[in-house]
């Protein structure tokens, strides 16, 4: 066999996994390899069947280099090939995992790529994952291992199985010639930013060659500065430009390269999450990552996984797999992480940089519903009247008109309808359509502030309170939107919103909601000195400060004031200073230290500050996952965000959940309700 794979960058120098500890013990009659061989022969391949427990225990507790020694000693002692024996004795996913561990890392990668390009169809995701994430040294070892194992040229096989710009970028990555000099030229950074901008955003069409050259060859340190400067110059993260300018597998490959440049452990944490979420498990992906990263950066992957997905990698593997396969994966994982929210230093740095990027981002908000260009309120009013007149209702016409007009245009249609026919369009719609479709269409016909006011009223009326709806609306609206909601509530229900909240909620939760409902959030930028003071207050109230001071009641009031009244740019700086000060993530500490509606309200504020579009994407996903659909939440978000940022929500949805919002709606709803939702969604990603 050829050489083992290189250790790669980002490897941790200690810990139970990533890197695996090498067994120091020696046994009589030979070193650790020969002792291992005897136990494998004695316990692993017996006439009464294999002892899988012994196999997994022995193999997962050795480093890859030691496993190669074992293979050699096994052949010397017994004249047999250990991998062939393991394949004979084991089956299924457990066999694939154990055999993968027994190969040198470069040969493991070579086998994965061979499988990806063999037979009918290509596993593009496998090619992307391996070639976008490996170091130059690992790429060179992979090419040599592929030639040695299969007597074929890897580049030729890739070219024969792929095409277009996707193929070109794969070939560039296969050269393993990425610059490795950490000395970065500021002039070259500026030039690359300009070249990327001109190749994409400023060009009719896209100059893919520039993207390939810069992303395929520049050093990681250089590219990180390019990405930072690109965001400052254009107001867009490079990922947004890639999604807007590229498509298909080429787009996915370039995004993977960007993710690996930013943080290779974070890329693999995301891949692992997507391999196990939802129905079914992508075992090949799970096995490949656990095998190839267990000695490199698994501790960092674990920490980022816990931070990003609010659960440990260990617990997700435990709940998603079974048998010896599960036991072996858990051994490779190396341990369960508590949910305290504290970072390892590397993960803290990633989180800190995320807030730094967030602080300078100028995200262009896009709705999916825009004003109709050829708008004719007279024609629309007549078409709607015809759709509802006589026997039966033409729902398709109603859906087509209402979902393809802006809210301002819908108000014109309402007025024209009354002028022409002396009838109330809302009343006619109520009498002609029903159920979920009626709630959606009637919601679209209401002015936004009146719609939000109605949702708040419904959340508070009757037995019980829908706290989640109150939080969702009040924690995410701008000052101007909050002021308009207050006016609409007073006009529609002859009672102030504050009075309604006071009578229907209590305690700290009521104080938070009333504070949010005043719409007095600051709208300026950040104040770094104040941000450090605010971060200290947060650390003290969340009981993780080194030197707590002040009485708790006063601190609680200050903490609420910070979250409910500071501007979003300032809060981003507060959360960043909090990480620097405590090595904790504020969102996760809130989840651990607080409870109930107060916790949910504060978490919603933090998530909205962090990424409002992602907050709504999460809410939409949760409204449709599992058995049953939360149609009220689904309708509320689709109606209220359709003209503001639903396009951004769509992008966050597919990025996090690996399927489009369109697909989720299509699979989870039906009939005319589905048609209307898909029309609002605005397209398939």
């Amino acid at each position: 066999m050829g050489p083992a794979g290189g250790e790669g960058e980002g490897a941790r120098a200690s810990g139970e996994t990533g890197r695996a500890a090498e067994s120091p013990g020696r046994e009589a009659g030979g070193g650790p390899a020969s002792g291992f061989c005897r136990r494998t022969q004695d316990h692993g391949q017996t006439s009464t069947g294999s002892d899988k427990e012994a196999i997994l225990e022995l193999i997962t507790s050795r480093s890859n280099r030691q496993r190669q020694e074992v293979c050699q000693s096994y052949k010397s002692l017994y004249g047999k090939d250990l991998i062939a024996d393991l394949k004979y004795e084991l089956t299924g996913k457990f066999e694939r995992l154990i055999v993968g561990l027994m190969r040198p890392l470069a040969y493991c990668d070579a086998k994965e790529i061979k499988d990806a390009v063999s037979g009918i169809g290509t596993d593009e995701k496998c090619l992307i994952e391996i070639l976008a994430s490996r170091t130059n040294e690992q790429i060179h070892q992979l090419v040599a291992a592929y030639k040695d194992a299969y007597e074929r040229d890897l580049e030729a096989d890739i070219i024969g199985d792929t095409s277009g710009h996707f193929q070109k970028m794969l070939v560039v990555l296969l050269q393993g010639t990425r610059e490795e000099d950490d000395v970065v030229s500021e002039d070259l950074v500026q030039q690359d930013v300009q070249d990327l901008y001109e190749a994409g955003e400023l060009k009719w069409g896209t100059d893919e060659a520039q993207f390939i050259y810069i992303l395929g060859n520049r050093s990681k340190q250089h590219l990180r500065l390019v990405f930072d400067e690109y965001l400052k110059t254009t107001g867009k993260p490079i990922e947004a430009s890639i999604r807007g300018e590229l498509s298909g597998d080429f787009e996915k490959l370039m995004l993977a390269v960007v993710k690996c440049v930013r943080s290779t452990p974070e890329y693999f944490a995301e891949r692992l999450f997507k391999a196990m979420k939802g129905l079914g498990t992508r075992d090949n992906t799970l096995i490949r990552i656990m095998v190839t990263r267990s000695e490199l950066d698994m501790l960092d992957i674990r920490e980022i996984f816990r931070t990003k997905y609010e659960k440990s990698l260990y617990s997700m593997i435990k709940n998603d797999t079974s048998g010896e396969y599960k036991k072996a994966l858990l051994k490779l994982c190396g341990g369960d992480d508590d949910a305290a929210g504290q970072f390892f230093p590397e993960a803290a740095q990633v989180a800190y940089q995320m807030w730094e990027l967030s602080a300078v981002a100028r995200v262009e908000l896009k709705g999916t519903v825009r004003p109709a260009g050829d708008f004719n309120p007279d024609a629309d009013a007549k078409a709607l009247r015809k759709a509802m007149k006589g026997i039966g209702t033409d729902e398709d016409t109603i859906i087509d008109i209402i979902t393809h007009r802006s809210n301002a245009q819908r108000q014109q249609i309402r007025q024209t309808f009354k002028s022409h026919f002396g009838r109330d369009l809302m009343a006619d719609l109520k009498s002609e359509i029903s159920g979920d479709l009626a709630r959606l269409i009637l919601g679209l016909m209401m002015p936004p502030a009146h719609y939000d006011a109605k949702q708040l009223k419904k959340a508070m009326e009757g037995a019980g309170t829908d706290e989640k709806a109150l939080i969702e609306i009040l924690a995410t609206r701008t000052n101007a939107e909050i002021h308009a909601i207050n006016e609409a509530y007073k006009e529609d229900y002859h009672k102030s919103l504050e009075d309604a909240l006071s009578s229907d909620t209590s305690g700290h939760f009521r104080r938070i909601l009333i504070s949010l409902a005043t719409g007095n959030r600051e709208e300026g930028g950040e104040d770094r000195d104040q941000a450090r003071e605010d971060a200290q207050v947060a650390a003290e109230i969340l009981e993780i400060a080194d030197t707590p001071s002040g009485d708790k009641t006063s601190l609680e009031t200050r903490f609420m004031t910070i979250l409910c009244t500071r501007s979003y740019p300032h809060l981003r700086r507060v959360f960043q200073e909090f990480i620097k000060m405590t090595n904790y993530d504020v969102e996760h500490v809130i989840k651990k230290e607080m409870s109930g509606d107060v916790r949910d309200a504060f978490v919603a504020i933090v998530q909205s500050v962090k990424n409002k579009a992602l907050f709504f994407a999460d809410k939409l996903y949760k409204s449709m996952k599992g058995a049953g659909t939360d149609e009220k939440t689904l309708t509320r978000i689709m109606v209220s965000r359709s003209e503001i940022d639903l396009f951004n929500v769509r992008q966050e949805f597919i990025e996090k959940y690996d399927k489009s919002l369109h697909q989720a709606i299509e699979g989870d709803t039906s009939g005319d309700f589905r048609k209307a939702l898909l029309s609002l969604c605005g397209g398939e990603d």
Side-chain angles (χ1 to χ4, degrees):
M1 283 192 169
E7 290 185 341
E9 55 188 36
R12 294 178 63 87
S14 63
E16 57 201 330
T17 183
R19 334 184 152 168
E22 297 200 350
S23 175
R26 291 181 176 271
E27 302 182 21
S34 60
F36 178 105
C37 288
R38 279 195 302 277
R39 285 180 305 219
T40 303
Q41 179 70 11
D42 293 343
H43 298 292
Q45 289 85 35
T46 68
S47 58
T48 57
S50 57
D51 182 349
K52 294 177 184 176
E53 282 275 359
I55 292 171
L56 79 86
E57 178 64 34
L58 292 166
I59 290 178
T60 59
S61 61
R62 299 298 186 273
S63 71
N64 190 276
R65 182 178 66 78
Q66 287 177 326
R67 294 183 206 118
Q68 306 320 309
E69 293 180 40
V70 169
C71 282
Q72 188 60 50
S73 296
Y74 191 90
K75 184 166 281 188
S76 299
L77 287 168
Y78 307 112
K80 301 174 75 172
D81 183 272
L82 178 54
I83 289 181
D85 276 2
L86 288 168
K87 283 183 177 179
Y88 178 78
E89 290 290 334
L90 308 177
T91 58
K93 294 173 285 191
F94 183 55
E95 178 218 322
R96 187 179 181 94
L97 175 62
I98 294 298
V99 169
L101 287 167
M102 294 307 300
R103 292 191 175 100
L105 292 181
Y107 284 78
C108 185
D109 279 349
K111 175 69 164 63
E112 291 294 315
I113 286 188
K114 185 70 167 65
D115 290 346
V117 297
S118 296
I120 299 171
T122 306
D123 183 353
E124 290 86 2
K125 288 182 179 178
C126 173
L127 298 180
I128 290 169
E129 178 197 300
I130 292 174
L131 296 181
S133 65
R134 300 315 193 241
T135 65
N136 286 346
E137 181 185 0
Q138 289 166 339
I139 290 286
H140 297 154
Q141 291 172 350
L142 161 61
V143 171
Y146 194 91
K147 186 79 170 176
D148 181 47
Y150 305 111
E151 298 181 351
R152 297 179 65 87
D153 181 70
L154 177 52
E155 183 178 321
D157 280 0
I158 293 285
I159 290 172
D161 214 62
T162 58
S163 61
H165 298 299
F166 178 57
Q167 176 197 90
K168 291 173 187 172
M169 184 62 177
L170 290 176
V171 169
V172 167
L173 295 173
L174 268 176
Q175 305 314 302
T177 53
R178 184 176 297 285
E179 296 162 359
E180 295 180 329
D181 188 356
D182 282 342
V183 178
V184 177
S185 161
E186 290 184 14
D187 290 341
L188 186 56
V189 167
Q190 292 294 340
Q191 185 62 54
D192 282 350
V193 169
Q194 189 61 33
D195 287 346
L196 287 171
Y197 191 44
E198 290 177 357
E201 300 286 340
L202 295 182
K203 188 179 177 65
W204 182 261
T206 306
D207 181 0
E208 290 86 358
Q210 280 286 21
F211 280 86
I212 290 171
Y213 176 73
I214 293 171
L215 294 182
N217 289 283
R218 299 291 193 232
S219 73
K220 286 192 170 186
Q221 181 61 28
H222 175 90
L223 285 174
R224 290 183 190 114
L225 294 176
V226 168
F227 299 160
D228 291 349
E229 198 59 38
Y230 189 92
L231 179 61
K232 292 175 187 174
T233 302
T234 68
K236 279 186 173 184
I238 188 68
E239 292 91 337
S241 291
I242 288 172
R243 289 191 191 96
E245 298 297 326
L246 311 180
S247 62
D249 292 322
F250 181 46
E251 174 197 339
K252 292 172 187 170
L253 174 59
M254 300 305 260
L255 287 172
V257 169
V258 171
K259 286 174 184 174
C260 289
V261 167
R262 290 199 188 279
S263 169
T264 303
E266 185 171 5
Y267 171 71
F268 282 112
E270 182 180 304
R271 291 281 293 157
L272 285 167
F273 177 76
K274 289 178 177 178
M276 290 182 282
K277 73 178 179 66
L279 294 174
T281 304
R282 298 173 188 177
D283 294 290
N284 286 357
T285 300
L286 178 56
I287 291 167
R288 182 171 60 245
I289 296 173
M290 296 303 291
V291 166
T292 58
R293 310 311 295 187
S294 59
E295 293 183 56
L296 301 180
D297 51 7
M298 186 56 69
L299 280 172
D300 295 327
I301 292 169
R302 270 171 42 184
E303 178 55 25
I304 291 171
F305 190 99
R306 184 189 67 186
T307 301
K308 193 166 184 177
Y309 301 113
E310 304 169 31
K311 64 181 78 177
S312 68
L313 175 59
Y314 189 97
S315 67
M316 197 159 183
I317 291 171
K318 192 173 181 179
N319 292 330
D320 212 64
T321 58
S322 61
E324 285 83 5
Y325 175 53
K326 174 170 76 175
K327 292 175 185 175
L329 287 171
L330 292 177
K331 283 280 289 183
L332 292 178
C333 182
D336 197 1
D337 303 301
D338 67 271
Q342 186 173 20
F343 294 103
F344 288 132
E346 293 88 344
Q349 186 62 27
V350 170
Y352 186 90
Q353 289 168 350
M354 181 275 292
W355 284 114
E356 190 70 51
L357 290 172
S358 175
V360 296
R362 299 195 303 276
V363 178
E364 182 184 355
L365 300 181
K366 290 183 183 178
T368 55
V369 174
R370 300 172 184 83
D374 54 350
F375 179 55
N376 183 336
D378 187 68
D380 284 348
K382 289 176 181 176
L384 287 169
R385 176 66 179 143
K386 182 180 178 183
M388 294 184 284
K389 194 175 180 181
I391 299 171
T393 305
D394 181 358
E395 287 88 354
D396 286 346
T397 295
I398 295 171
I399 292 168
D400 185 56
I401 292 174
I402 303 300
T403 61
H404 289 98
R405 305 293 183 269
S406 68
N407 193 275
Q409 289 175 333
R410 293 182 205 122
Q411 304 317 310
Q412 287 183 252
I413 294 171
R414 283 180 69 175
Q415 185 59 55
T416 303
F417 194 90
K418 183 167 278 190
S419 299
H420 276 354
F421 307 112
R423 302 173 67 92
D424 183 339
L425 177 55
M426 294 286 277
D428 279 6
L429 286 167
K430 279 182 185 177
S431 69
E432 292 291 329
I433 56 178
S434 61
D436 295 325
L437 177 65
R439 278 188 285 272
L440 181 66
I441 294 297
L442 292 170
L444 289 167
M445 291 302 303
M446 296 178 72
H450 289 266
Y451 179 73
D452 278 346
K454 183 176 182 180
Q455 297 306 303
L456 290 169
K457 179 73 162 58
K458 289 170 74 173
M460 292 184 282
E461 67 187 8
T465 304
D466 184 352
E467 292 86 0
K468 285 184 167 55
L470 297 179
I471 292 167
E472 177 201 304
I473 295 170
L474 294 175
T476 61
R477 301 311 192 246
T478 65
N479 285 345
E481 288 167 339
I482 291 286
H483 297 155
I485 291 169
N486 275 288
E487 290 178 17
Y489 200 95
K490 185 82 170 176
E491 179 185 336
D492 293 345
Y493 307 112
H494 312 293
K495 183 179 184 180
S496 75
L497 176 57
E498 182 177 335
D499 286 346
L501 291 168
S502 293
S503 62
D504 205 68
T505 58
S506 60
H508 288 304
F509 183 54
R510 175 170 62 195
R511 292 173 61 205
I512 294 165
L513 293 180
I514 289 174
S515 179
L516 292 172
T518 60
N520 286 329
R521 188 175 293 284
E522 297 162 0
E523 295 185 338
E526 65 182 64
D527 178 334
R528 292 206 176 205
D529 291 336
Q530 184 64 56
R532 282 189 281 273
E533 287 183 31
D534 290 346
Q536 180 64 31
V537 170
E540 291 179 17
I541 193 64
L542 295 171
E543 300 182 349
I544 56 172
D546 292 331
T547 54
S549 61
D551 78 281
K552 186 146 185 179
T553 302
S554 171
L555 284 170
E556 285 173 348
T557 301
R558 288 178 66 191
F559 185 60
M560 185 191 77
T561 301
I562 290 165
L563 287 184
C564 294
T565 67
R566 300 286 196 250
S567 71
Y568 273 26
H570 180 82
L571 283 174
R572 291 188 185 106
R573 179 60 61 185
V574 172
F575 300 155
Q576 193 173 7
E577 292 297 327
F578 187 89
I579 291 173
K580 187 192 294 185
M581 188 180 294
T582 68
N583 220 39
Y584 283 78
D585 172 69
V586 69
E587 179 184 341
H588 293 280
V589 181
I590 289 171
K591 287 176 179 175
K592 180 175 183 288
E593 297 296 333
M594 296 184 168
S595 61
D597 298 326
V598 170
R599 176 198 60 200
D600 293 344
F602 283 156
V603 167
I605 294 168
V606 173
Q607 290 176 340
S608 186
V609 170
K610 207 180 266 191
N611 185 335
K612 193 177 288 187
L614 179 57
F615 170 79
F616 284 115
D618 285 339
K619 295 279 286 181
L620 285 170
Y621 178 77
K622 288 170 184 173
S623 77
M624 291 182 280
K625 79 181 180 86
T629 304
D630 179 358
E631 289 88 1
K632 288 182 181 178
T633 300
L634 177 57
T635 299
R636 186 172 59 243
I637 295 174
M638 295 296 287
V639 168
S640 62
R641 309 315 295 182
S642 58
E643 289 185 61
I644 300 173
D645 56 3
L646 190 54
F647 184 79
N648 307 81
V649 173
R650 265 172 44 185
Q651 289 183 309
E652 296 294 345
F653 194 100
I654 195 168
E655 175 69 20
K656 182 165 182 179
Y657 297 110
D658 210 23
K659 71 174 175 180
S660 68
L661 178 58
H662 188 283
Q663 287 173 314
I665 291 169
E666 198 167 44
D668 212 67
T669 59
S670 61
D672 293 321
F673 181 52
R674 175 168 63 188
K675 287 180 189 174
L677 287 171
L678 292 177
S679 183
L680 283 182
C681 183
E684 169 70 287
D685 296 301

